[in-house]
Amino acid sequence: GWIPDLGDTYICTELNKAGIVSKKEWFNMLKFKLKAAWTHPYEVYNYLSTVKELVNKVNSKKINWKKPKYKKMFITNILKLEKQGKHNDAVKLYTDNVIKLSKEFKTNFTYSKKLFKTSFFDRAKSYCKLIFNPRNLGFLYPYLKLKVGKNGN
């Protein structure tokens, strides 16, 4: 894959390592995640807080990330909904697919049952958790590195 190894592992990182994600798809997924961080902060915080554990568990069970179904689940179908202007549906599908992946590999993975919180207090709390824990925004590093690198800096 072409994304630098950050020592962290996310689903898109694993798909990139498998060599099945283009730069354009990865950047479009980054835009989706950034938008989701604004529109659905709790879901993004929950994902970033738990996905490394899930990916490690499915990797230990020998998942084949090169299977087309995983790209379809986590990239193709998500970007299709985004292109259609169905952002909320895309966030819901991504979340549902994380849960499906967990069930497929029988990981006993726990994902919050309180997703899609909409109260002002819950959203504000989630924004704070995202912003004040810089580790949660680590998925930005490759984007920033590539953008800065293009400018010769």
Side-chain angles (χ1 to χ4, degrees):
W2 62 273
I3 300 171
D5 184 3
L6 306 177
D8 283 338
T9 184
Y10 303 102
I11 291 171
C12 288
T13 306
E14 294 301 312
L15 292 169
N16 176 63
K17 287 179 188 175
I20 61 172
V21 178
S22 72
K23 285 184 181 183
K24 182 178 179 179
E25 289 168 326
W26 188 84
F27 277 111
N28 286 337
M29 285 302 295
L30 177 62
K31 288 178 198 174
F32 161 73
K33 290 175 187 174
L34 291 173
K35 184 177 179 181
W38 177 251
T39 61
H40 298 83
Y42 183 77
E43 289 71 25
V44 173
Y45 171 74
N46 195 54
Y47 171 79
L48 293 174
S49 299
T50 58
V51 71
K52 186 174 183 175
E53 175 190 350
L54 173 63
V55 169
N56 287 337
K57 285 180 177 183
V58 298
N59 281 344
S60 74
K61 293 180 182 259
K62 308 297 183 209
I63 186 174
N64 179 0
W65 289 106
K66 290 185 180 191
K67 283 187 176 180
K69 78 175 191 174
Y70 297 119
K71 181 177 179 178
K72 186 175 180 182
M73 285 172 67
F74 293 104
I75 295 182
T76 308
N77 292 345
I78 305 305
L79 294 178
K80 182 178 178 182
L81 287 170
E82 278 291 298
K83 190 173 184 177
Q84 294 170 353
K86 299 178 180 178
H87 177 71
N88 290 339
D89 292 342
V91 173
K92 174 106 174 62
L93 180 61
Y94 197 93
T95 302
D96 290 345
N97 286 341
V98 169
I99 294 166
K100 281 181 191 173
L101 181 67
S102 171
K103 288 179 180 177
E104 177 183 345
F105 284 88
K106 299 176 178 78
T107 64
N108 296 322
F109 176 70
T110 55
Y111 207 63
S112 175
K113 293 177 177 38
K114 297 179 183 176
L115 293 175
F116 294 93
K117 293 184 172 194
T118 57
S119 78
F120 173 79
F121 178 74
D122 287 332
R123 290 174 68 89
K125 194 164 72 172
S126 298
Y127 288 134
C128 290
K129 287 179 180 179
L130 281 172
I131 293 167
F132 295 115
N133 186 349
R135 184 151 177 75
N136 287 334
L137 300 178
F139 67 87
L140 289 174
Y141 174 77
Y143 176 76
L144 296 172
K145 184 174 181 180
L146 290 169
K147 286 293 184 186
V148 170
K150 282 184 179 180
N151 297 329
N153 297 327

